[in-house]
Amino acid sequence: MTTTVGVGMVGHAFMGRAHSQAWRSVGPFFAPPLTPVMTALAGRSAERAAAAAASLGWASVETDWKELLRRDDVQIVDICTPGDTHAEIAVAALDAGKHVLCEKPLGNTVAEAEAMAAAAERARARGVRSMIGFNYRRVPAVTLARRLVAEGRIGTVRHIRAQYLQDWLADPRAPFTWRLDRDRAGSGALGDIASHIVDTAQFITGQSLVGVSALLDTFVPERPLPGGGTARVTVDDAALFIGRTGGGALATFEATRFATGRKNALRIEVSGSSGALAFDLESLNELWFHDAADDPAVSGFRRIVVTEPVHPYAGRWWPPGHILGYEHTFTHQIADLLTAIADGADPSPSFADGLQVQRVLAAVAGSAASRQWVDIEGSQ
C-alpha cells in the first residue's frame, strides 16, 4: 500500500510550473512508494497565487511560506523561488521537520550554502531528507553517460569540455529582470547556468573540480525597466574558466546568455583513454559514444537514441523512439526523491553536493577578480 505525502510549494513562476507538472505526473508514470498530494502553493500575492494554484493543480494557497511549516498536511516543501530566499526557507523547513527540495544554486553565497548543508545534516539525523534540484542529472542520456563512465567504457577521463549557451540577453534592449540583480540572483550566467554544467560534468565523471582559473564579463551594463528608465546590471553576462579535477582530468567551461542563435545548448564532451562521450541538451534524447577499440575502418562516434526500456527512466514512459523532453527530468527528480524518503535513504544530489558546487562558483568568481588560479575548498 502507498502512503500519501502532502507537498507545499513556494513560488509559482517558471520553476514552479515545471515542478507542478512533475508532481502531477509522477504518480501515474512511476507509481512511487509515496503518493504526493499537491496540498498548498505559497506566493506573495493572494490573487496571483490563487490563479496559479487553480491552473497548476494546487488545492490551497498561502501568502506566507511560513504557514506551510505550520501545516500538518504538508510534509515536503518545494522551493522554487529566487536564490536570495533559498537559505531562509530551507533552513526553517528542515528545522521544522519538513523534507525539502530546493532549486539550484543552493544559495547566493558559500555561507548560505554552508548553513543549508548544516541544517540538512541536522535534519538527516531525525530522518528528514533534502535534495537540490540539478534536474539535468535526470536526462536519461546524461544518466546513461554516467553509467558508461563508471563501467570504464571510456577508460581514464582526460578531458572535459562543457558549455551552456543561451541567447536571451544578446539584445541590449532586453528588459531588466531579477536575474540581473546580484542581491537577488547572487550571480549571472555563473550561478544560473554554469552551476548546471559544473554539476553535470562532476556527475558524469564522478570527479570533483579542485581548482579553476576564470574570466567573467558583463557586456551590457544597463538594461531598460519595463515601466520606464533603466537599471544597472550587477551580475556577469558570461563566465569562462578552466579547471582540473581530483582525478587529474583537464576541464574547460563556458556559460553565457549572449550566444546568438543558441537557445538552451548545454553541451558536454568527455574524452577518455579508450573512448569518449558527447551530449547536447538541444538533442536531449541522443548520446554520442566512441569506442577507441573499434575497427579503424568504421571507427567514430555512434548515435545512441536513449529511449529504450533498458535506458534510465525511459521505460516508464513511451515505446522506444518516442522521445522525452525537458519537463520529464523534473518528474524523474521527484520520483527519486519520493523513493529515497520512503526508503529512509539520502537523496542525490544532496545539499552537501550543492555546497560543493557553490564553492566552485565562488572560486570562479574569486579567480576572475584576482586573475589567479584558485583552489576549491574541500575538493580532492
Side-chain angles (χ1 to χ4, degrees):
M1 295 180 62
T2 58
T3 302
T4 60
V5 59
V7 182
M9 188 175 75
V10 191
H12 50 79
F14 172 28
M15 278 298 101
R17 293 176 64 82
H19 283 226
S20 296
Q21 166 75 7
W23 289 115
R24 290 196 305 268
S25 62
V26 69
F29 287 93
F30 283 81
L34 296 175
T35 299
V37 177
M38 297 169 67
T39 302
L41 181 152
R44 291 172 297 177
S45 163
E47 182 179 0
R48 291 197 300 272
S55 171
L56 300 175
W58 296 90
S60 63
V61 169
E62 300 287 356
T63 55
D64 183 348
W65 60 264
K66 295 183 179 69
E67 292 302 319
L68 297 179
L69 311 191
R70 301 186 180 101
R71 293 182 61 153
D72 293 334
D73 57 353
V74 171
Q75 288 81 45
I76 299 175
V77 173
D78 184 358
I79 303 170
C80 298
T81 55
D84 61 322
T85 62
H86 286 185
E88 181 184 12
I89 299 171
V91 171
L94 289 166
D95 286 347
K98 310 294 185 183
H99 307 291
V100 171
L101 171 61
C102 183
E103 261 303 321
K104 46 54 63 184
L106 195 59
N108 277 0
T109 65
V110 169
E112 288 180 353
E114 287 175 339
M116 295 170 75
E121 191 60 25
R122 291 195 302 271
R124 178 176 177 270
R126 296 179 282 114
V128 178
R129 308 297 171 178
S130 53
M131 174 192 278
I132 182 173
F134 281 118
N135 63 297
Y136 293 135
R137 288 187 176 206
R138 266 81 183 190
V139 175
V142 171
T143 308
L144 177 61
R146 175 184 173 87
R147 179 189 299 173
L148 293 174
V149 172
E151 291 174 351
R153 296 293 297 275
I154 68 168
T156 301
V157 175
R158 290 173 172 165
H159 288 284
I160 302 166
R161 305 173 195 90
Q163 298 176 313
Y164 205 151
L165 311 177
Q166 299 176 342
D167 72 353
W168 62 277
L169 285 176
D171 185 347
R173 297 167 297 178
F176 186 87
T177 79
W178 68 266
R179 293 182 185 275
L180 303 177
D181 179 358
R182 181 177 298 277
D183 289 340
R184 297 195 69 193
S187 62
L190 180 60
D192 186 22
I193 54 179
S195 60
H196 271 303
I197 51 175
V198 169
D199 181 73
T200 302
Q202 295 184 149
F203 172 69
I204 289 175
T205 63
Q207 299 184 21
S208 297
L209 287 166
V210 296
V212 293
S213 179
L215 292 172
L216 300 177
D217 207 342
T218 301
F219 302 123
V220 179
E222 285 194 343
R223 293 276 180 178
L225 290 165
T230 62
R232 189 167 68 92
V233 175
T234 54
V235 299
D236 56 283
D237 285 329
L240 183 68
F241 54 102
I242 60 173
R244 184 183 290 276
T245 72
L250 300 181
T252 61
F253 295 85
E254 179 185 11
T256 178
R257 301 183 290 204
F258 278 70
T260 310
R262 299 298 179 192
K263 300 305 176 185
N264 205 35
L266 186 161
R267 299 166 163 180
I268 184 163
E269 184 169 324
V270 182
S271 301
S273 58
S274 58
L277 297 164
F279 169 78
D280 185 340
L281 185 64
E282 290 185 347
S283 300
L284 64 76
N285 290 272
E286 300 177 0
L287 180 67
W288 291 82
F289 171 65
H290 170 60
D291 187 339
D294 284 346
D295 180 346
V298 293
S299 179
F301 277 91
R302 70 183 73 154
R303 184 177 71 118
I304 304 169
V305 180
V306 190
T307 59
E308 297 292 327
V310 296
H311 291 141
Y313 305 107
R316 294 286 188 164
W317 295 99
W318 320 120
H322 292 71
I323 62 177
L324 302 184
Y326 171 75
E327 72 277 13
H328 295 88
T329 64
F330 295 96
T331 305
H332 303 161
Q333 174 174 272
I334 287 172
D336 287 346
L337 173 63
L338 291 171
T339 300
I341 292 172
D343 291 346
D346 294 325
S348 178
S350 66
F351 275 22
D353 296 324
L355 170 58
Q356 191 274 337
V357 172
Q358 199 81 44
R359 286 173 170 158
V360 174
L361 303 183
V364 169
S367 173
S370 67
R371 297 182 181 271
Q372 294 180 343
W373 179 271
V374 174
D375 293 326
I376 296 166
E377 179 186 352
S379 292
Q380 58 182 5

